[in-house]
Amino acid sequence: MSDPLQMHPDRLLPAEPATRNLARQLYQAIKDLPIISPHGHTDAQWFASNDSFTDATALFITPDHYVFRMLYSQGITLEQLGIGSQEGAAAAADPREIWRLFSENYTLFQGTPSRLWLDHVFAEVFGMQVRLDGNSSDTYFDTINAKLSSDEFRPRALFERFNIELLATTESPLDALEHHASIIDSDWQGRVITTYRPDPVVDPDYDGFKDNLIEFGQLTGEDTSSWRGYLNAHRTRREYFKRHGATATDHGHPTAGTENLDAQQAEKLFQRVIAGDHSPSDAEQFRGQMLTEMAAMSLDDDLVMQLHPGSYRNHNQSLYERFGRDKGADIPRQTEYVQALKPLLDKYGNEPGLSIILFTLDETAYSRELAPLAGHYPSLLLGPAWWFHDSPEGMRRFRQQTTETAGFYNTAGFNDDTRAFLSIPARHDVARRIDCGYLAELVTEHRLTETEAAEIAVDLTNNLARKAYRL
Amino acid sequence: MSDPLQMHPDRLLPAEPATRNLARQLYQAIKDLPIISPHGHTDAQWFASNDSFTDATALFITPDHYVFRMLYSQGITLEQLGIGSQEGAAAAADPREIWRLFSENYTLFQGTPSRLWLDHVFAEVFGMQVRLDGNSSDTYFDTINAKLSSDEFRPRALFERFNIELLATTESPLDALEHHASIIDSDWQGRVITTYRPDPVVDPDYDGFKDNLIEFGQLTGEDTSSWRGYLNAHRTRREYFKRHGATATDHGHPTAGTENLDAQQAEKLFQRVIAGDHSPSDAEQFRGQMLTEMAAMSLDDDLVMQLHPGSYRNHNQSLYERFGRDKGADIPRQTEYVQALKPLLDKYGNEPGLSIILFTLDETAYSRELAPLAGHYPSLLLGPAWWFHDSPEGMRRFRQQTTETAGFYNTAGFNDDTRAFLSIPARHDVARRIDCGYLAELVTEHRLTETEAAEIAVDLTNNLARKAYRL
Amino acid sequence: MSDPLQMHPDRLLPAEPATRNLARQLYQAIKDLPIISPHGHTDAQWFASNDSFTDATALFITPDHYVFRMLYSQGITLEQLGIGSQEGAAAAADPREIWRLFSENYTLFQGTPSRLWLDHVFAEVFGMQVRLDGNSSDTYFDTINAKLSSDEFRPRALFERFNIELLATTESPLDALEHHASIIDSDWQGRVITTYRPDPVVDPDYDGFKDNLIEFGQLTGEDTSSWRGYLNAHRTRREYFKRHGATATDHGHPTAGTENLDAQQAEKLFQRVIAGDHSPSDAEQFRGQMLTEMAAMSLDDDLVMQLHPGSYRNHNQSLYERFGRDKGADIPRQTEYVQALKPLLDKYGNEPGLSIILFTLDETAYSRELAPLAGHYPSLLLGPAWWFHDSPEGMRRFRQQTTETAGFYNTAGFNDDTRAFLSIPARHDVARRIDCGYLAELVTEHRLTETEAAEIAVDLTNNLARKAYRL
């Protein structure tokens, strides 16, 4: 027999009873506010085509690197999980058997946010009443698949059921945005917008960078072998993204490094880079210079910049060679911001029209660098706890280490940052609960009044994201 | 209508009722102990002249970089705040209007220590009964100004009302200390002592370093163009500071680097530095060597050393050019201590007569480097949570991350480190409440007895500072 | 009169009453489980000879660097503590007087784990009923000494009384393991196993490295002046250690650096190193290459690897010169893992047969590097909070910063890592209490059920260590 599955109404709220009461009141008042998801990685095609999702395994396991990295860490191979290698020989595993392997190892996720998100989806979206384990595996698989094939579980229906006000996806400059166009042209009212993520044409180390630049030129009619033409291509494409709803750009760099080269130096660097004749430090410098160029363009077109630095991508070399990118082997590294951002900030840091949202995978920067920077520069805001730190503990650390110096109003609300569409309500719910718990603690310590806390809770849930992302 | 303003008697004490009861008892027993302020930046002239403070804006906004950095981060310009540029064109803003701008944006400070300190001053020093906001702005401005003009609000009267046993200021070796002399010569009994802060004549990157050295020579009658004369000038000036009450020196370096050069190397380095013919690493090395020289002098004259490393000063280049130093743009950086302090410690670390108080802006060093160093070397003590970390959360992190390895008795009590004289009682009150809360938690966890906690609370409040600063 | 000494049954459990109740239930169910101590530094001779321990001072002060480093930090010299210098002149201090000095300064340990451990031993092992202080010093000294001379306090009797299932010691490859052999040959059933700690023949900076290599060759009959012979000597000696119970190796490197040189490069590096003709970076590279070689051997002989990086050994130069190693002057440093481990992981990181347990003295790596690495690579597990971080706060930080990403099942249970044999039950008891408190908090926040928490508590106490160390 499997254990009962129950999402307790007080989950994640502080244990101390008076504080929990306060937190519960704060949470009750904001729990039904719409979801604003200004940064994430869902697939616009889902909402364009509105086709049903395939099955439980394809929905929950194969695409979720949080899930399969944990299974992999305990000796389960990617082949066993049906994750295809690049060598062509597609994994032939049976979805039901993969689901069983996951179910039997579900205890590995105890104490992790994945377990919170998954249980929430299982209970609230699919109505499951027992815990996932080996015994309940088949019931889960059959129940989920049956529901997925119904109209109520098509992407647009779920979007509406989830009360999503806005959902941003992230696309390469080379993306035609046909799905966004199709959504705009449809009679469906859901707001699914794109985000300009230029890494494939900005990072000299990106797979196929050289070919990407050629395609970038073809798409925009610019000569992307010249520095001027290359920059114009960005301007053109940013405008195209804006017409498909974009209000922001996103930059996923190894470091937070920026540069402030003069036009001649930049041109020479660009020529080395496109010739493939560049050193690792040239590549780093080029990425850094492009952040400053993007800031300049943002001053013209009002797109908000997001900077996501600090991940060592594809750390597991043999896995990368066999299975490609995004296989759960991205590992955070120490990230320096104070020196790194100075060239960009020297040039544009005081511009009232510029808005840069900073993220980190290095939590030591919260109190030491990020809150002091955002608590001074008018152009800087802090994005929420990100990726590995998008957990109850990580969210608490974020508030406890940034509020003292940056306050609440130099932060940008919550991001779910996910490709797991069904987990979006679960993720926002966790953030709302943690924020309400934090605010309740400030009230219990007599640092805020209840009235103030209630107002801040609404701001953290909706208003800060709307303002930061210019929605 | 503005909200009521009330300083709750249990503020900042732990939420759990039994722990809160214990904390309250501990706090009651120490809350009225005298204030010892062995490190800060108030102006000795206030106590020498005993003139009234000007007005609310000049007292609370213009000089407080915690306050105006937050306003600046949200797009309010320094000109709007009446902070004059160096270009001469004095800001013509009306103090009442500046106060209104501050009042209307006071919600920005929710959750920050500035809000705690300001509310404390407003309520306890000025008797305000409603929260500061746009509605109460004029009442605040008029009430504060009226009180400031009364005799009860002159600096000496406040010093006595605040129950300050000792207040240390910080001066350049080039300061004549006339205000300290005047206080000593007066019939007023308040103890306002100086601290020897030699950065202007020790840091080759300091504004006017070369002229400073010339003046240093004139003041001391030493030939400060020779290494020997330069060191003698320090000895002479330290002695002068001691006669004006100093028991300590203070060193605000970019890093914690120290050096142990022989006399010949040091002489050569000094010659490069005073010729202006030095590299950045020469400057770093010179500052490091001077820490070791200062330690040697401390062994002779018993002045306690304070080391405050890790701030990137004046990070905002254009603001610095337009408005000068100390405009809220100092940002902490990663700070290494283990390798950095070794040269000094190799030479003097085991000297029983030497006392060095270490501070940090990099909290990661607490458990990793600073507590292990202070828990071994007889010459090292830990200063309290500093600057950006001088918040309830920051103080808790300090205790939670240093006590396990360094205990309580390798720490140096509390510093308010402020130029905001009126906030001194508020800041000490926050520290006392956080320390009592921490001790109460140790009692609730049965790690200390109530009797022990009560004794430690007195030590943290008074005795450790007296001992560490040789008062 | 001394204060009463009482080990409260609820000590270290969370303050909030409902959470404390849960924690108490979890703790009651696991508190009497056997002690598994798979990593430590006790002396096998104690259990081989089963001689009585000498006296309280020799047992508690002279060998415990946690104790004497704190006393030293407050100006008590090593000579006063009877710790002999290497210069030959043995300290002549009277053990009773040393004990008195310790007793009179016992308040220095308030708030530290040493105080928890010592009080536990005093109360639970020796039955003391008053706190140690100047008044009770002689009673303590006499009572402890009298008990130590009784049969019930001989090492084997205590081992059994402590309910130790397994105790691992750590030996150099040059150790004859005669005491382990003697224990195996005896009729005593206690399981005391060795661990292969090759630092003396792997670290070119180790005292006597060159002589060690010669002895290493003599012991194994291999030509340790050739790379091939040197590697064979390791293989031979590892096999010898396995026959004396070893299931693991241990590596105490300054950094986590690894290398992946080809045989020719490695041979050349080895020749430079044994010629003494190596740079500091050669030494670092050699240690790093040897970690990779050790991993290769582990794949053959199944020994688990432990990596303990990040300590700056013997930081206090003059103390080291006068008193030698291990005098409380080892200081943690920043430690990078992501780049450092990549060469080894590129080669063997996906091997299902390899198991590497990672430790850290740099807690910033928990959430940023270590949990993400262990939550992905099948070959990596996380060792528990170590050394300076082996405190209630340190253990809480470990769980709060690793569980979210690595879960519970990529961790390796508790290590006491001690040479203080009598403190082993105290240390395991602290870990059990902190783990039960953490699990109770997850239950109170409705993130785990009580049933799940109870199962995890047993795993953390026994099963994870058995599995990780292949016991």
Side-chain angles (χ1 to χ4, degrees):
Chain A
M1 285 296 301
S2 307
D3 289 333
L5 174 65
Q6 212 181 0
M7 300 308 287
H8 195 285
D10 285 343
R11 65 189 182 276
L12 298 175
L13 303 184
E16 196 278 312
T19 316
R20 179 165 285 190
N21 276 338
L22 275 165
R24 196 189 291 123
Q25 288 170 37
L26 293 169
Y27 173 72
Q28 284 300 323
I30 55 103
K31 76 185 176 62
D32 295 324
L33 290 177
I35 287 175
I36 297 168
S37 174
H39 178 94
H41 301 281
T42 54
D43 189 339
Q45 189 187 349
W46 297 336
F47 309 101
S49 73
N50 202 29
D51 290 339
S52 290
F53 293 105
T54 319
D55 65 43
T57 296
L59 190 63
F60 289 110
I61 304 175
T62 336
D64 189 339
H65 54 71
Y66 284 92
V67 167
F68 62 70
R69 80 193 307 277
M70 177 65 92
L71 297 170
Y72 187 76
S73 78
Q74 288 286 311
I76 297 168
T77 65
L78 295 190
E79 288 86 348
Q80 285 176 283
L81 295 170
I83 294 167
S85 77
Q86 287 190 318
E87 291 157 1
D94 173 27
R96 181 179 297 271
E97 289 311 306
I98 297 171
W99 185 261
R100 172 172 302 283
L101 196 55
F102 170 53
S103 304
E104 287 170 348
N105 287 281
Y106 192 52
T107 50
L108 293 177
F109 295 93
Q110 288 166 334
T112 71
S114 289
R115 146 88 172 238
L116 288 169
W117 302 327
L118 288 162
D119 278 356
H120 182 118
V121 176
F122 296 155
E124 307 273 316
V125 181
F126 292 100
M128 306 307 299
Q129 301 194 344
V130 296
R131 175 94 53 202
L132 180 66
D133 60 17
N135 290 325
S136 60
S137 180
D138 282 339
T139 308
Y140 262 74
F141 191 71
D142 294 331
T143 307
I144 290 172
N145 292 353
K147 296 211 170 181
L148 285 179
S149 66
S150 71
D151 283 348
E152 293 84 350
F153 284 77
R154 286 183 188 272
R156 291 182 181 179
L158 289 174
F159 188 103
E160 286 154 16
R161 172 174 167 193
F162 292 167
N163 193 20
I164 297 176
E165 178 176 310
L166 173 133
L167 180 69
T169 64
T170 314
E171 274 80 27
S172 157
L174 308 179
D175 194 291
L177 303 183
E178 58 194 18
H179 305 304
H180 291 84
S182 155
I183 294 167
I184 291 168
D185 291 345
S186 78
D187 55 2
W188 183 56
Q189 298 307 314
R191 195 168 165 210
V192 179
I193 67 176
T194 184
T195 303
Y196 188 71
R197 169 90 170 219
D199 301 2
V201 294
V202 155
D203 179 2
D205 296 334
Y206 207 92
D207 286 349
F209 174 68
K210 220 164 167 173
D211 292 340
N212 293 344
L213 281 201
I214 293 168
E215 194 181 339
F216 195 37
Q218 290 164 344
L219 266 174
T220 56
E222 297 286 345
D223 172 12
T224 52
S225 70
S226 82
W227 175 233
R228 176 187 298 243
Y230 170 74
L231 293 181
N232 277 336
H234 278 290
R235 287 189 195 97
T236 302
R237 209 62 193 154
R238 290 167 65 107
E239 189 54 38
Y240 185 80
F241 271 62
K242 275 189 74 175
R243 288 204 304 275
H244 290 77
T247 70
T249 67
D250 183 35
H251 308 275
H253 288 204
T255 75
T258 65
E259 297 289 341
N260 187 2
L261 305 178
D262 64 32
Q264 205 178 357
Q265 293 171 308
E267 168 84 50
K268 279 189 186 163
L269 175 61
F270 177 71
Q271 291 306 334
R272 282 203 300 283
V273 160
I274 62 168
D277 184 27
H278 58 276
S279 65
S281 83
D282 282 340
E284 171 70 7
Q285 198 178 29
F286 185 72
R287 288 185 295 259
Q289 178 63 23
M290 284 311 297
L291 287 179
T292 307
E293 299 291 347
M294 289 286 130
M297 293 183 201
S298 280
L299 281 167
D300 289 336
D301 64 18
D302 289 333
L303 292 181
V304 171
M305 288 182 74
Q306 300 172 86
L307 180 55
H308 285 88
S311 178
Y312 192 122
R313 302 274 171 182
N314 312 307
H315 187 267
N316 189 326
Q317 185 63 26
S318 71
L319 213 66
Y320 176 61
E321 285 163 8
R322 290 168 55 224
F323 295 92
R325 297 173 66 86
D326 298 327
K327 291 299 172 288
D330 297 342
I331 311 286
R333 300 196 65 187
Q334 264 191 35
T335 308
E336 199 278 341
Y337 292 84
V338 180
Q339 189 69 51
L341 293 175
K342 195 164 192 313
L344 191 160
L345 293 172
D346 278 351
K347 193 152 187 185
Y348 299 122
N350 298 293
E351 290 288 344
L354 183 64
S355 182
I356 305 176
I357 305 176
L358 297 174
F359 295 79
T360 196
L361 292 174
D362 181 352
E363 296 177 302
T364 69
Y366 283 153
S367 69
R368 185 182 59 215
E369 302 176 34
L370 291 175
L373 284 166
H376 167 71
Y377 280 99
S379 55
L380 298 181
L381 292 176
L382 300 184
W386 173 45
W387 199 344
F388 292 100
H389 311 311
D390 178 20
S391 58
E393 290 78 10
M395 291 175 183
R396 284 176 189 142
R397 289 193 291 264
F398 174 80
R399 292 281 174 223
Q400 285 166 353
Q401 293 173 28
T402 63
T403 309
E404 57 202 6
T405 294
F408 292 104
Y409 293 96
N410 285 303
T411 64
F414 181 65
N415 283 183
D416 55 69
D417 187 35
T418 192
R419 59 197 80 223
F421 174 53
L422 272 74
S423 76
I424 287 178
R427 290 168 190 254
H428 285 259
D429 187 65
V430 170
R432 292 174 187 195
R433 289 172 181 274
I434 298 300
D435 280 343
C436 288
Y438 176 70
L439 290 168
E441 286 168 359
L442 293 186
V443 174
T444 314
E445 290 188 5
H446 305 287
R447 297 171 64 182
L448 289 179
T449 65
E450 287 186 49
T451 313
E452 290 177 309
E455 287 168 4
I456 296 170
V458 175
D459 288 339
L460 299 185
T461 306
N462 276 172
N463 297 329
L464 285 174
R466 285 190 190 122
K467 189 175 169 203
Y469 286 90
R470 302 179 178 175
L471 300 174
Chain B
M1 283 297 299
S2 307
D3 288 333
L5 174 66
Q6 210 180 4
M7 300 308 288
H8 195 286
D10 285 343
R11 66 187 181 277
L12 298 176
L13 303 184
E16 196 278 314
T19 316
R20 179 166 285 190
N21 276 337
L22 275 165
R24 196 188 292 123
Q25 287 170 38
L26 293 169
Y27 174 72
Q28 284 300 324
I30 55 103
K31 77 185 175 63
D32 295 324
L33 289 178
I35 287 175
I36 297 168
S37 174
H39 179 93
H41 301 282
T42 53
D43 188 339
Q45 189 188 349
W46 297 336
F47 309 103
S49 72
N50 202 29
D51 290 339
S52 291
F53 293 106
T54 319
D55 64 43
T57 296
L59 190 62
F60 287 109
I61 304 174
T62 336
D64 188 339
H65 54 72
Y66 285 91
V67 167
F68 63 70
R69 80 193 305 279
M70 178 65 92
L71 297 170
Y72 186 76
S73 79
Q74 288 286 311
I76 296 169
T77 64
L78 296 190
E79 288 86 347
Q80 286 177 282
L81 296 170
I83 295 167
S85 77
Q86 288 191 318
E87 291 156 1
D94 173 26
R96 181 179 296 272
E97 290 311 306
I98 297 171
W99 186 261
R100 172 172 301 282
L101 196 56
F102 171 52
S103 304
E104 287 171 349
N105 287 282
Y106 192 52
T107 49
L108 293 177
F109 296 92
Q110 288 166 334
T112 71
S114 289
R115 146 91 172 237
L116 288 170
W117 301 328
L118 288 162
D119 278 356
H120 182 117
V121 176
F122 295 155
E124 307 273 316
V125 181
F126 290 101
M128 306 308 298
Q129 301 194 345
V130 296
R131 177 92 54 202
L132 180 65
D133 60 16
N135 291 324
S136 59
S137 180
D138 282 339
T139 308
Y140 262 75
F141 191 70
D142 294 330
T143 307
I144 291 172
N145 291 353
K147 295 211 172 182
L148 286 179
S149 66
S150 71
D151 283 348
E152 292 83 352
F153 284 76
R154 286 181 188 272
R156 290 182 181 180
L158 289 174
F159 188 103
E160 285 155 16
R161 174 174 165 192
F162 291 166
N163 194 19
I164 297 176
E165 178 176 310
L166 173 134
L167 181 67
T169 64
T170 314
E171 275 80 28
S172 157
L174 307 179
D175 193 291
L177 303 184
E178 58 194 17
H179 304 304
H180 290 84
S182 154
I183 294 167
I184 291 169
D185 291 344
S186 77
D187 56 2
W188 183 56
Q189 298 306 313
R191 196 169 164 207
V192 179
I193 67 176
T194 185
T195 303
Y196 189 70
R197 170 89 170 219
D199 300 3
V201 294
V202 155
D203 179 1
D205 296 334
Y206 207 92
D207 287 348
F209 174 68
K210 219 162 168 179
D211 292 340
N212 292 345
L213 281 201
I214 293 167
E215 193 180 340
F216 196 37
Q218 290 164 344
L219 266 175
T220 56
E222 296 286 346
D223 172 12
T224 52
S225 69
S226 82
W227 176 233
R228 176 188 298 244
Y230 170 73
L231 293 181
N232 275 337
H234 278 290
R235 287 189 194 98
T236 302
R237 209 63 193 156
R238 288 167 66 108
E239 189 55 37
Y240 184 79
F241 272 62
K242 276 189 73 173
R243 288 203 304 274
H244 291 76
T247 70
T249 68
D250 183 35
H251 309 274
H253 288 204
T255 75
T258 65
E259 296 289 341
N260 187 3
L261 305 177
D262 64 32
Q264 206 178 355
Q265 292 171 309
E267 168 85 49
K268 278 188 189 165
L269 175 62
F270 177 71
Q271 291 305 334
R272 283 202 301 282
V273 160
I274 61 168
D277 184 26
H278 58 277
S279 66
S281 82
D282 281 340
E284 172 69 6
Q285 199 178 28
F286 185 72
R287 287 186 295 259
Q289 178 63 21
M290 284 310 297
L291 287 178
T292 307
E293 300 292 346
M294 290 285 130
M297 293 184 201
S298 281
L299 281 168
D300 288 335
D301 64 18
D302 289 333
L303 292 181
V304 171
M305 288 182 75
Q306 299 171 87
L307 180 55
H308 285 90
S311 178
Y312 192 122
R313 302 275 172 182
N314 312 306
H315 186 268
N316 190 325
Q317 185 63 26
S318 70
L319 213 68
Y320 175 61
E321 285 163 8
R322 290 169 54 224
F323 295 92
R325 296 172 66 86
D326 298 327
K327 292 299 172 288
D330 296 343
I331 311 287
R333 301 196 65 186
Q334 264 192 34
T335 308
E336 200 276 342
Y337 292 85
V338 180
Q339 189 69 49
L341 293 175
K342 195 165 192 313
L344 191 160
L345 292 172
D346 278 351
K347 193 153 188 185
Y348 300 121
N350 298 292
E351 291 288 344
L354 183 64
S355 183
I356 305 176
I357 305 175
L358 296 175
F359 294 80
T360 195
L361 292 174
D362 181 352
E363 296 177 302
T364 69
Y366 284 153
S367 69
R368 185 182 59 216
E369 302 176 34
L370 291 175
L373 284 166
H376 167 71
Y377 281 99
S379 55
L380 298 182
L381 293 176
L382 300 185
W386 173 43
W387 198 342
F388 293 100
H389 311 312
D390 179 19
S391 58
E393 290 79 10
M395 291 174 182
R396 283 176 189 141
R397 289 193 291 265
F398 175 79
R399 291 283 174 221
Q400 284 166 354
Q401 293 174 26
T402 64
T403 310
E404 58 203 7
T405 294
F408 293 104
Y409 294 98
N410 285 302
T411 64
F414 181 65
N415 283 184
D416 55 70
D417 188 33
T418 193
R419 58 197 80 223
F421 175 53
L422 272 74
S423 76
I424 287 178
R427 289 168 190 254
H428 285 258
D429 187 65
V430 170
R432 291 174 188 195
R433 288 172 181 274
I434 297 300
D435 279 343
C436 288
Y438 176 70
L439 290 167
E441 286 167 0
L442 293 184
V443 174
T444 314
E445 289 189 5
H446 305 289
R447 298 171 64 181
L448 289 179
T449 66
E450 287 186 49
T451 313
E452 290 178 310
E455 287 168 3
I456 296 170
V458 175
D459 288 339
L460 300 185
T461 306
N462 278 171
N463 297 329
L464 285 174
R466 285 189 190 122
K467 190 176 168 202
Y469 286 90
R470 303 180 177 175
L471 300 174
Chain C
M1 284 297 301
S2 307
D3 289 332
L5 175 66
Q6 212 180 1
M7 301 308 288
H8 194 285
D10 284 342
R11 64 188 183 276
L12 297 177
L13 302 184
E16 195 278 313
T19 317
R20 179 165 286 190
N21 276 338
L22 275 165
R24 196 188 291 124
Q25 288 170 38
L26 293 169
Y27 173 72
Q28 284 300 322
I30 56 102
K31 77 184 176 62
D32 295 324
L33 290 178
I35 287 174
I36 297 168
S37 174
H39 179 93
H41 301 283
T42 54
D43 188 340
Q45 188 187 351
W46 297 336
F47 309 102
S49 73
N50 201 30
D51 291 340
S52 291
F53 293 106
T54 318
D55 64 45
T57 295
L59 190 63
F60 287 110
I61 305 175
T62 336
D64 188 340
H65 54 72
Y66 284 90
V67 167
F68 63 70
R69 79 192 307 278
M70 178 65 92
L71 298 170
Y72 187 75
S73 79
Q74 288 285 312
I76 297 168
T77 64
L78 295 190
E79 288 87 347
Q80 286 177 284
L81 296 170
I83 294 167
S85 76
Q86 287 190 318
E87 291 157 1
D94 173 26
R96 180 179 298 271
E97 288 311 306
I98 297 171
W99 186 262
R100 171 171 301 283
L101 196 56
F102 170 52
S103 304
E104 287 170 347
N105 286 282
Y106 193 53
T107 49
L108 293 177
F109 295 93
Q110 288 166 336
T112 70
S114 290
R115 146 90 173 239
L116 288 169
W117 301 328
L118 288 162
D119 278 357
H120 182 118
V121 176
F122 295 155
E124 307 273 315
V125 181
F126 291 101
M128 306 308 298
Q129 301 193 345
V130 295
R131 177 91 54 202
L132 180 65
D133 60 16
N135 291 324
S136 60
S137 181
D138 281 341
T139 308
Y140 262 75
F141 192 72
D142 294 332
T143 307
I144 291 172
N145 291 354
K147 295 211 171 180
L148 287 179
S149 67
S150 71
D151 282 349
E152 292 85 350
F153 284 78
R154 286 181 188 271
R156 291 181 180 181
L158 288 174
F159 188 104
E160 286 154 15
R161 174 175 164 190
F162 291 166
N163 193 21
I164 297 175
E165 178 176 309
L166 173 134
L167 180 68
T169 64
T170 314
E171 274 81 28
S172 157
L174 307 179
D175 193 292
L177 304 183
E178 58 193 18
H179 304 304
H180 290 84
S182 156
I183 294 167
I184 292 168
D185 292 343
S186 77
D187 56 3
W188 183 56
Q189 298 305 313
R191 195 169 165 208
V192 179
I193 67 175
T194 184
T195 304
Y196 190 70
R197 169 90 171 219
D199 301 1
V201 294
V202 156
D203 179 2
D205 295 334
Y206 207 92
D207 287 347
F209 175 69
K210 220 162 168 176
D211 291 341
N212 292 344
L213 281 201
I214 293 167
E215 192 180 341
F216 195 38
Q218 291 164 342
L219 267 174
T220 56
E222 296 287 346
D223 172 13
T224 52
S225 69
S226 82
W227 176 233
R228 177 187 297 243
Y230 170 73
L231 293 179
N232 276 336
H234 279 290
R235 287 188 194 98
T236 303
R237 209 62 193 156
R238 289 168 66 107
E239 189 55 38
Y240 185 79
F241 271 63
K242 277 188 74 173
R243 288 203 305 275
H244 291 77
T247 69
T249 68
D250 183 35
H251 309 275
H253 288 202
T255 75
T258 64
E259 297 289 341
N260 187 3
L261 305 177
D262 65 32
Q264 206 178 356
Q265 292 171 309
E267 168 85 50
K268 279 189 187 163
L269 175 61
F270 178 71
Q271 291 305 334
R272 284 203 300 282
V273 159
I274 62 168
D277 184 27
H278 58 277
S279 65
S281 83
D282 282 340
E284 172 69 8
Q285 198 179 28
F286 185 72
R287 288 185 295 258
Q289 178 63 20
M290 284 311 297
L291 287 178
T292 307
E293 300 292 347
M294 289 286 129
M297 293 183 200
S298 281
L299 281 168
D300 288 336
D301 64 18
D302 289 333
L303 292 181
V304 171
M305 287 182 75
Q306 300 171 88
L307 180 55
H308 285 89
S311 178
Y312 191 123
R313 302 275 171 182
N314 313 307
H315 187 268
N316 189 325
Q317 185 62 25
S318 71
L319 213 67
Y320 176 60
E321 285 163 8
R322 291 168 54 222
F323 295 93
R325 296 172 67 85
D326 297 328
K327 291 300 172 289
D330 297 343
I331 311 287
R333 299 196 65 187
Q334 262 192 35
T335 308
E336 200 277 342
Y337 292 84
V338 180
Q339 189 68 51
L341 293 175
K342 195 165 193 313
L344 191 160
L345 292 172
D346 278 351
K347 194 153 188 185
Y348 300 121
N350 298 292
E351 291 288 344
L354 183 64
S355 182
I356 305 176
I357 305 176
L358 296 176
F359 295 79
T360 196
L361 292 174
D362 181 353
E363 296 177 302
T364 69
Y366 283 153
S367 69
R368 186 182 58 215
E369 303 177 34
L370 292 174
L373 284 166
H376 167 71
Y377 281 99
S379 55
L380 298 182
L381 292 176
L382 300 184
W386 173 44
W387 198 343
F388 292 100
H389 311 311
D390 178 19
S391 58
E393 290 78 10
M395 291 175 183
R396 283 176 189 142
R397 289 193 292 263
F398 175 79
R399 291 284 174 221
Q400 285 165 353
Q401 293 173 27
T402 64
T403 309
E404 58 203 5
T405 293
F408 293 105
Y409 294 97
N410 286 302
T411 64
F414 180 65
N415 284 182
D416 55 70
D417 187 33
T418 191
R419 58 198 79 223
F421 174 53
L422 273 73
S423 76
I424 287 179
R427 289 167 190 254
H428 285 258
D429 187 65
V430 169
R432 292 175 187 195
R433 289 172 180 275
I434 297 300
D435 280 342
C436 288
Y438 176 71
L439 290 167
E441 286 168 359
L442 293 185
V443 173
T444 314
E445 291 188 4
H446 305 287
R447 299 172 62 181
L448 288 179
T449 65
E450 287 186 49
T451 312
E452 290 177 310
E455 288 169 3
I456 297 170
V458 175
D459 288 340
L460 299 185
T461 306
N462 277 172
N463 297 329
L464 286 175
R466 285 188 190 122
K467 189 176 169 204
Y469 286 89
R470 303 179 176 174
L471 301 174

